Each structure stands twice: as C-alpha cells, then as structure tokens.
Amino acid sequence: MNAAFLITPKSDVKFVYDHWTIRQALEKMEHYRYSAIPVLNKKGLYVGTLTEGDILWSLKKNENLNFRDTEHILLNEVPRHRDIKAISIDVEIEDILETSLTQNFVPIVDDSHVFIGMIRRREIIAYLLKLRSNGDK
C-alpha cells in the first residue's frame, strides 16, 4: 500500500520556519505539547526536524544566554543532532516501518522536496493492527 493513504496533510500539521527564533519555536512546541517539530524554509521545503534536545544543547553551548535572548537566535543557527530525512510521497508503507521505530513521525515531501505532510507513528501502528485483524478472519 502506498504511504499516501496514511498521510496527515500539511494543512493539518504544525511546523516552524527556519527564519523563526528559538523562542517562537518553543512557544509553538509548548502550546501543542510537541517534543519535535518539522522545520521548513520560506519556500516550503523541508529542512529538518527540530527537537527539544536540539534547543537544550544550543542553550547549553551559550552559557550566558537567558530566555529573553532566545528571541534573537534563528532556528537556522541551531544545530540539529539527528538528521531526520523526509521520505517521498511515492514510498510504500513497508518501506517506512523501520524509520518509524526511531521517530514519532515521518516527514513526507513531493518530488521537489516540498513538505506536503507527515505520517505519524500511530497511523502506521493502526494500519498494522488493521492488517493483523483482517488476517485473523
């Protein structure tokens, strides 16, 4: 089965832009209770996933930084410690199972690398449970 059937479209996904500040990202992540969030550039291209850990490591490296200073640090200046790759919309579900073991979601892009949505781990698990229950009949 094609992964497109499980995608949560971009219009329903919360994300941040790489020209936003750490503070803007933290506020969005706190509001939605996210520990990781996709990062896009101004053209809508997926550039990576920002995690709480990325922000914490960045703050640790800047010992003199206080919370107010996070208003001046852009996300494109924050090193990301995990390289979470996006996957093409044409991929089969079976091809993303291993990826979903280490991530809460898998970013999905089109042929131009434009972010079009994500597949959440819970949708993958629900799909597998449905397959299993259909196989038991």
Side-chain angles (χ1 to χ4, degrees):
M1 183 168 136
N2 186 285
F5 291 101
L6 298 179
I7 193 169
T8 300
K10 179 181 177 182
S11 59
D12 295 337
V13 173
K14 306 306 179 224
F15 54 87
V16 295
Y17 288 101
D18 65 353
H19 64 276
W20 283 15
T21 65
I22 290 178
R23 180 161 184 170
Q24 288 172 302
L26 280 170
E27 288 174 357
K28 192 162 205 173
M29 291 171 76
E30 178 186 27
H31 179 77
Y32 291 103
R33 302 181 62 102
Y34 287 174
S35 60
I37 193 164
V39 181
L40 311 181
N41 69 15
K42 289 181 182 181
K43 295 180 181 179
L45 302 179
Y46 172 79
V47 296
T49 295
L50 180 73
T51 67
E52 291 173 329
D54 297 333
I55 295 170
L56 288 171
W57 285 111
S58 184
L59 295 175
K60 182 181 182 239
K61 288 181 183 176
N62 296 300
E63 294 176 9
N64 297 325
L65 193 69
N66 65 41
F67 185 70
R68 188 164 277 140
D69 295 332
T70 62
E71 297 173 358
H72 306 290
I73 301 172
L74 302 181
L75 294 181
N76 58 19
E77 299 170 11
V78 176
R80 289 185 298 275
H81 293 274
R82 290 186 58 208
D83 188 22
I84 298 176
K85 300 280 187 203
I87 295 180
S88 168
I89 186 64
D90 299 327
V91 74
E92 296 295 319
I93 292 174
E94 293 76 18
D95 297 330
I96 63 171
L97 292 178
E98 188 171 332
T99 303
S100 70
L101 292 174
T102 59
Q103 300 171 197
N104 291 330
F105 61 88
V106 179
I108 305 296
V109 296
D110 66 12
D111 293 336
S112 301
H113 210 65
V114 172
F115 180 76
I116 57 174
M118 69 171 62
I119 298 176
R120 293 185 176 109
R121 184 185 299 155
R122 78 175 133 198
E123 274 81 26
I124 294 169
I125 293 170
Y127 166 76
L128 293 172
L129 287 172
K130 185 177 176 183
L131 278 180
R132 181 177 165 213
S133 67
N134 287 342
D136 290 343
K137 293 181 181 180

